[in-house]
Amino acid sequence: MRILVTGGAGFIGSAVVRHLIENTEHEVINLDKLTYAGNLETLREVSDNVRYVFEHVDICDSQELNRVFQQHQPDAVMHLAAESHVDRSIDGPAEFMHTNIIGTYTLLEAARAYWGQLSESRKQQFRFHHISTDEVYGDLPHPDEDVDAKQVLFTETTAYEPSSPYSASKASSDHLVRAWHRTYGLPVVVTNCSNNYGPYHFPEKLIPHVILNALAGKSLPIYGKGDQIRDWLYVEDHARALCLVLEKGSNGETYNIGGHNELQNIDVVKLICTILDTLRPKDTKYSEQIIHVADRPGHDRRYAIDASKIKNDLGWMPKETFATGLHKTVQWYLDNEQWWQNVLNGSYRLERIGEQI
Ligand code: NAD
């Protein structure tokens, strides 16, 4: 297949591009605007490959999207381009509405116009794969409030109840994709995934933020009590799941993707400290750098995914446990200082975002 990947210079998109080039015969057109979160250094390993091409395009630019579809004639779209950081959506929601809602709408229209011209057989095989988040479901009961809480998980039929400007904009985009399927017959698949972590993660996000602050000898800020629960998935496991859904998922279906790793944020931070104590020992314990700061406004308390549908229907299971994936991740940041030093030489310097309301 020739696959148009949007947001391929971001954290998850680049893992998808690397996976497609290194483990399949597919061709990849990476379409990315290169916002603060896009970074072509993340694709160094694959950028010379003859099956890879980069298009510096904004998904809100319909003319350019039409050109890309006509020029490259893709068999499928994997749509990952988005504004993705909850804290930034609190400070500046406009960009999230623009890219995540209007951008998805513009991409859907370009895809629909192109799809309408295809031969009947190519039309049927075409897929628009929309990549979304579990945050669209809102939050789940927390074990603090309800002893049976752990039995309640997000399934593909959980009602949407987004809490932040980010998750509300992603929920809107999910609805648009399903409407384009139902109304126009565009062949789509949607995936909703839990929190990802792994190499090349932009350092505003919890895990790389903590690793880099720890190494710099700075304080490790925990929002509120740190008892918020997230379900963590190693990014390469997510990339494998996405490619499987694209190839084998049924038209019109939604698949939840998760790592079966529910952890409180404070425990994630303590685990990172323990790994660093072993891999980069110093006189004091890294956990002594932990401090508690004011919580994020509207902070969801718990997310957890029921990933049984993708397991039963498509045979996907994560390969990494949280222990193995986190160890690999910390080691990667220790081994790839040049990558994150270059990122920190840009506009973001590990400061807190999203506190002001
Ligand atoms: P990211 O912020 O690391 O990357 C986003 C990419 O999209 C960047 O390369 C950026 O340059 C590009 N982009 C932004 N606006 C664009 C525009 N207007 N036109 C073209 N390109 C644009 O995000 P990520 O963490 O890799 O997330 C990718 C997708 O997966 C998002 O849709 C996100 O909602 C979803 N998701 C993320 C997580 C997670 O834990 N990170 C979990 C589940 C789902």
Side-chain angles (χ1 to χ4, degrees):
M1 280 194 285
R2 196 171 301 140
I3 304 172
L4 176 63
V5 178
T6 73
F11 168 50
I12 302 172
S14 67
V16 169
V17 172
R18 289 192 301 272
H19 178 80
L20 287 169
I21 295 296
E22 287 167 359
N23 300 299
T24 76
E25 295 301 314
H26 300 313
E27 293 174 27
V28 174
I29 306 115
N30 172 16
L31 183 152
D32 200 292
K33 180 183 174 183
L34 298 181
T35 66
Y36 80 94
N39 184 351
L40 291 178
E41 281 185 38
T42 299
L43 292 159
R44 252 185 335 219
E45 296 153 41
V46 298
S47 54
D48 290 337
N49 194 292
V50 287
R51 289 183 288 114
Y52 171 84
V53 62
F54 177 64
E55 287 280 4
H56 189 189
V57 169
D58 184 340
I59 56 164
C60 299
D61 184 341
S62 61
Q63 221 177 339
E64 271 293 272
L65 290 180
N66 290 336
R67 176 194 59 78
V68 167
F69 274 104
Q70 290 309 324
Q71 187 174 327
H72 297 286
Q73 299 282 313
D75 302 297
V77 175
M78 296 178 85
H79 175 37
L80 297 105
E83 288 294 333
S84 70
H85 189 38
V86 176
D87 287 342
R88 277 183 199 262
S89 82
I90 295 168
D91 278 352
E95 201 60 41
F96 287 72
M97 305 306 126
H98 194 62
T99 287
N100 298 359
I101 305 177
I102 302 297
T104 299
Y105 155 73
T106 311
L107 183 67
L108 279 166
E109 278 296 79
R112 181 167 76 92
Y114 163 75
W115 172 72
Q117 304 165 353
L118 295 177
S119 66
E120 235 10 82
S121 64
R122 284 195 72 203
K123 232 178 175 172
Q124 275 176 24
Q125 281 162 9
F126 185 83
R127 283 288 182 282
F128 185 103
H129 180 175
H130 179 61
I131 285 85
S132 192
T133 164
D134 61 354
E135 301 195 26
V136 297
Y137 299 123
D139 62 357
L140 288 168
H142 193 283
D144 271 2
E145 304 147 359
D146 177 356
V147 280
D148 296 326
K150 287 257 174 179
Q151 282 154 29
V152 190
L153 303 169
F154 296 134
T155 71
E156 287 79 2
T157 55
T158 301
Y160 277 26
E161 204 176 342
S163 312
S164 70
Y166 163 66
S167 53
S169 68
K170 288 298 291 187
S172 304
S173 66
D174 295 11
H175 290 319
L176 291 174
V177 172
R178 293 195 182 100
W180 259 242
H181 174 66
R182 174 100 186 243
T183 306
Y184 303 111
L186 187 72
V188 308
V189 279
V190 177
T191 50
N192 294 84
C193 186
S194 61
N195 275 38
N196 282 216
Y197 68 100
Y200 301 107
H201 207 180
F202 195 87
E204 65 192 355
K205 305 279 171 68
L206 178 69
I207 289 179
H209 194 79
V210 168
I211 297 170
L212 299 192
N213 271 327
L215 291 174
K218 294 185 182 171
S219 56
L220 308 178
I222 306 284
Y223 289 178
K225 288 192 281 182
D227 60 354
Q228 309 84 1
I229 295 175
R230 300 293 180 259
D231 171 7
W232 293 94
L233 179 67
Y234 192 63
V235 68
E236 290 173 13
D237 278 326
H238 188 195
R240 270 194 312 112
L242 294 177
C243 296
L244 188 66
V245 168
L246 182 74
E247 288 176 358
K248 305 262 166 61
S250 299
N251 183 10
E253 289 293 319
T254 294
Y255 299 88
N256 277 356
I257 308 172
H260 308 287
N261 289 309
E262 275 190 63
L263 280 118
Q264 295 196 17
N265 284 349
I266 182 75
D267 295 329
V268 171
V269 174
K270 285 180 180 167
L271 270 169
I272 294 170
C273 290
T274 308
I275 296 171
L276 280 171
D277 285 337
T278 314
L279 295 180
R280 184 66 64 87
K282 59 184 177 85
D283 292 345
T284 53
K285 298 275 184 208
Y286 286 94
S287 55
E288 289 173 24
Q289 293 166 230
I290 293 175
I291 57 158
H292 290 263
V293 297
D295 206 350
R296 166 191 281 167
H299 208 171
D300 286 333
R301 292 206 70 207
R302 175 170 167 253
Y303 304 138
I305 281 271
D306 175 353
S308 48
K309 179 174 172 181
I310 187 171
K311 180 180 173 219
N312 296 337
D313 290 8
L314 305 181
W316 175 85
M317 285 278 284
K319 284 186 180 163
E320 300 293 342
T321 63
F322 192 65
T324 59
L326 191 64
H327 194 279
K328 274 188 180 181
T329 304
V330 175
Q331 187 68 62
W332 187 88
Y333 279 89
L334 291 174
D335 293 343
N336 289 275
E337 184 166 345
Q338 193 60 55
W339 182 86
W340 53 261
Q341 286 292 4
N342 288 348
V343 171
L344 294 181
N345 287 337
S347 58
Y348 180 68
R349 307 276 160 80
L350 293 173
E351 67 275 16
R352 177 161 188 192
I353 309 167
E355 198 181 8
Q356 316 292 334
I357 45 170

